[in-house]
């Protein structure tokens, strides 16, 4: 489809005493099969005041894709499948003029395990076809963001418990949960992209308008990064010699973990149910996080408990978790101001 009309000028015409009209580009109308008498949706962007014109049934005709695996490494093929999934493809066909290697097939199998709703429907020497059964209406973004955050919190809590108890098996279990975070995160990206392309999906994915999409995307990324840091704490335990910190040190770490849990939970609530007071409550929770970080660092500096190096690394990782959560709080604050127009009067 030609996109020369992405930015065009149109003259406003008077149709009646109180009616103004603007024509739409003919190619745009043809692409969406719009004819005289059809209805379209005019949606206002409440943030900037602009209008978005959306067909009653948007014509999204690129739901299938073909990946040429001939020159792709197995790792690159896996990334290509993930990308097509995020872009909203329903059917992805992997083709090669020469037989696919076992490593290429394994890369597709790994992607299948990594992506929710993706399944291999056909497999041959030179081709593999995968289909995604997930539809936007199957999930809503606020609920999915909550699931993502709770999974991250579980990894962090289990990793801290494994650290203070010297439990390597528990740490391995916590680290394996990261696969679920990845699965939820990629599904989240798929829904965000689909809704961005088709604004009529806003209500299906639990949003009144598309305004929060970019913010939600940012928060999901923060949660994913936090999960990676929590997995790093679990890896510290797996790689350690099993030395268990003393009770006082364990109490400091648990208190810090609990403070981060409270701050993150309050932040996600402020994002999914935008409210200025909720954002301020979350901000207060981070004051407690700062206090516990200082207490942990002071304790480690003064008492130098064993295993000191591992404990110091864990506290640094928890600080970084808190920083990502603070980034999400900034998003919550933006959404709160939008949801509370009485706080700001624009002239």
């Amino acid at each position: 489809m030609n996109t020369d009309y992405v930015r065009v000028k149109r003259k406003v015409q008077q149709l009646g005493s109180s009616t103004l009209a603007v024509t739409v580009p003919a190619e745009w109308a043809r692409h969406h099969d719009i004819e005289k008498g059809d209805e379209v949706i005019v949606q206002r962007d409440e943030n900037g005041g602009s209008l978005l014109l959306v067909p009653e049934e948007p014509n999204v005709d690129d739901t299938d894709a073909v990946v040429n695996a001939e020159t792709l490494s197995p790792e690159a093929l896996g990334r290509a499948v993930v990308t097509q999934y995020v872009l909203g493809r329903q059917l992805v066909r992997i083709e090669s003029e020469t037989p696919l290697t076992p490593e290429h097939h394994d890369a597709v199998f790994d992607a299948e395990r990594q992506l929710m709703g993706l399944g291999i429907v056909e497999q041959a020497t030179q081709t593999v076809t995968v289909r995604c059964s997930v539809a936007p209406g199957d999930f809503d973004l606020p609920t999915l963001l909550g699931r993502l955050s709770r999974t991250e919190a579980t990894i962090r809590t289990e990793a801290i418990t494994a650290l203070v108890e010297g439990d390597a098996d528990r740490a391995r279990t916590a680290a394996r949960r990261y696969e679920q975070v990845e699965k939820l995160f990629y599904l989240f990206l798929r829904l965000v992209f689909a809704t961005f392309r088709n604004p009529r999906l806003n209500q299906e994915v639990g949003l009144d308008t598309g305004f929060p999409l970019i913010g939600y995307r940012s928060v999901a990324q923060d949660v994913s990064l936090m999960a990676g840091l929590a997995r790093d704490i679990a890896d510290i335990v797996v790689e350690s010699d099993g030395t268990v910190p003393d009770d006082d040190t364990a109490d400091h770490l648990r208190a810090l973990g609990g403070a981060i849990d409270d701050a993150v939970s309050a932040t996600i609530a402020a994002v999914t149910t935008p409210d200025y007071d909720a954002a301020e409550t979350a901000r207060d929770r981070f004051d407690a996080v700062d206090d516990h970080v200082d207490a942990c660092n002071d304790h480690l500096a003064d008492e130098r408990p064993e295993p000191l190096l591992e404990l110091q690394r864990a506290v640094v990782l928890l600080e970084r978790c808190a920083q990502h959560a603070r980034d999400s709080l900034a998003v919550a604050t933006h959404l709160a101001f939008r949801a509370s127009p009485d706080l700001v009067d624009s002239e």
Side-chain angles (χ1 to χ4, degrees):
M1 181 178 61
N2 186 0
T3 57
D4 291 342
Y5 61 84
V6 167
R7 181 180 177 87
V8 295
K9 284 187 178 181
R10 284 289 188 268
K11 183 175 291 186
V12 178
Q13 302 178 36
Q14 184 86 38
L15 294 186
S17 60
S18 60
T19 302
L20 300 177
V22 176
T23 61
V24 299
E27 187 171 350
W28 180 86
R30 284 194 297 270
H31 176 70
H32 292 287
D33 298 323
I34 294 175
E35 300 177 349
K36 181 180 177 180
D38 290 345
E39 293 185 349
V40 295
I41 297 171
V42 180
Q43 180 173 307
R44 182 175 67 88
D45 176 3
E46 74 279 21
N47 188 52
S50 60
L51 295 177
L52 177 66
L53 187 66
V54 183
E56 180 68 19
E57 295 294 337
N59 185 6
V60 181
D61 56 5
D62 56 348
T63 58
D64 297 353
V66 176
V67 176
N68 182 5
E70 189 72 26
T71 60
L72 295 179
S73 68
E75 294 77 13
L77 178 59
R79 291 193 294 270
V81 174
V82 171
T83 298
Q84 297 310 309
Y85 174 89
V86 170
L87 290 176
R89 313 301 189 201
Q90 296 294 329
L91 194 72
V92 179
R93 182 175 174 85
I94 296 116
E95 297 181 348
S96 175
E97 294 184 2
T98 58
L100 293 166
T101 68
E103 290 76 18
H104 283 89
H105 284 284
D106 289 344
V108 179
F109 288 136
D110 289 342
E112 181 187 28
R113 288 191 293 268
Q114 189 180 19
L115 302 172
M116 190 175 294
L118 192 72
I120 296 174
V121 296
E122 183 181 355
Q123 188 172 10
T125 304
Q126 296 171 236
T127 63
V128 179
T129 303
V130 295
R131 181 186 296 276
C132 182
S133 60
V134 172
D138 295 340
F139 300 88
D140 68 78
L141 290 176
T143 300
L144 197 56
L145 185 59
R147 286 181 59 186
L148 184 63
S149 180
R150 288 192 295 274
T151 305
E152 182 278 327
T154 299
I155 297 174
R156 181 165 16 89
T157 299
E158 290 296 301
I160 292 174
T161 301
L163 178 64
V164 300
E165 295 180 358
D167 190 338
D169 288 337
R170 191 167 196 162
R172 292 188 186 94
T173 300
R176 284 195 295 270
R177 291 183 187 272
Y178 183 75
E179 294 179 3
Q180 181 66 14
V181 170
E182 283 191 313
K183 186 172 291 190
L184 292 171
F185 179 61
Y186 286 128
L187 173 61
F188 194 94
L189 293 184
R190 180 182 174 89
L191 297 186
V192 167
F193 186 81
T195 309
F196 178 79
R197 298 180 67 200
N198 182 2
R200 291 194 66 238
L201 296 176
N202 285 332
Q203 292 186 347
E204 286 192 42
V205 297
L207 302 178
D208 292 332
T209 73
F211 180 85
L213 281 177
I214 296 176
Y216 269 46
R217 164 66 177 81
S218 175
V219 173
Q221 180 71 61
D222 285 330
V223 174
S224 178
L225 292 171
M226 292 164 62
L229 295 170
R231 181 188 56 182
D232 290 344
I233 295 174
D235 289 342
I236 289 174
V237 180
V238 172
E239 296 166 3
S240 68
D241 61 4
T243 301
V244 178
D246 61 85
D247 291 343
D248 194 17
T249 302
D251 289 342
H252 276 290
L253 289 169
R254 289 194 182 99
L256 175 55
I260 293 175
D261 283 346
D262 291 342
V264 172
S265 178
T267 297
I268 297 299
V271 169
T272 55
T273 308
D275 176 81
Y276 185 75
D277 290 338
E280 288 301 293
T281 297
R283 203 175 309 280
D284 291 340
R285 301 283 173 85
F286 280 104
D287 291 338
V289 172
D290 291 339
D291 290 341
H292 284 291
V293 167
D294 291 342
C296 275
N297 284 327
D298 290 344
H299 174 77
L300 295 180
D302 294 341
E303 303 298 328
R304 303 189 68 78
E306 293 297 335
L308 181 60
L309 181 59
E310 286 84 352
L311 295 171
Q312 289 173 328
R313 289 170 58 197
V315 172
V316 168
L317 291 170
L318 290 172
E319 284 187 83
R320 290 172 59 190
C321 280
Q323 184 54 57
H324 286 302
R326 277 192 173 88
D327 293 340
S328 293
L329 178 57
V331 173
T333 303
H334 298 326
L335 295 175
F337 275 112
R338 166 185 169 271
S340 306
D342 55 304
L343 295 175
V344 178
D345 292 326
S346 58
E347 298 180 355

